[in-house]
Amino acid sequence: MINTTNDPASAPTQRSIGELVASVRDELVGVVHTEVDIAKKEMTALGKKVGVIAACAAVLLFLLLSAWVMLLFFFAHGLMALGVSSWLSYLIIAAVFIVLAAVAGLVAFLFVKKLQAPETTIETAKGAVDALQGKRHTVAVDYDDTFEELYGKQVSARADSPADGHREMAARAAGTTAGSGSTAV
């Protein structure tokens, strides 16, 4: 008999496998709904904070832009004080900023060209969708390779055999390398 309640003191009851599966499904649906509700509440609170931050950032940008315009007039009048005609001083300031904008655009274009889609995330998401739809996903994501790509460290959660793993750990503890018999100094 199976104890289908969470109370260890209660007597076990007889339930069919179908009833148990239905119970698990109902509980899983309840957990998912609860998690979605929690996520909604968290995102609502976060959205309000982001709204305040965005409004403050908009005011900040407006004030900085206003100050920037005044600074540009300052530079143009500085050139005029050096003897450059007024139309030429404004043209020089505009040309400098057009060149700076072109350099910034080129840098942005080069970065955009190097962007790649997050392939591992896409494959994992497709695998999850396929699993939920009851399909088998034939190409598995190799998380060891992904870790190495992201962090530059080679790791493996799988040993060739448990005995090899135990020998390597014992050799490290004893100060020797597995199979070489040499002692580390």
Side-chain angles (χ1 to χ4, degrees), residues 141-162:
V141 176
D142 189 354
Y143 291 99
D144 291 339
D145 290 344
T146 303
F147 186 87
E148 184 177 350
E149 290 170 8
L150 291 174
Y151 301 106
K153 299 176 185 174
Q154 186 172 5
V155 243
S156 179
R158 299 172 212 97
D160 293 332
S161 72

Side-chain angles (χ1 to χ4, degrees), residues 14-26:
Q14 292 269 347
R15 289 175 69 182
S16 70
I17 297 295
E19 292 172 334
L20 291 173
V21 168
S23 173
V24 168
R25 186 191 65 80
D26 292 340

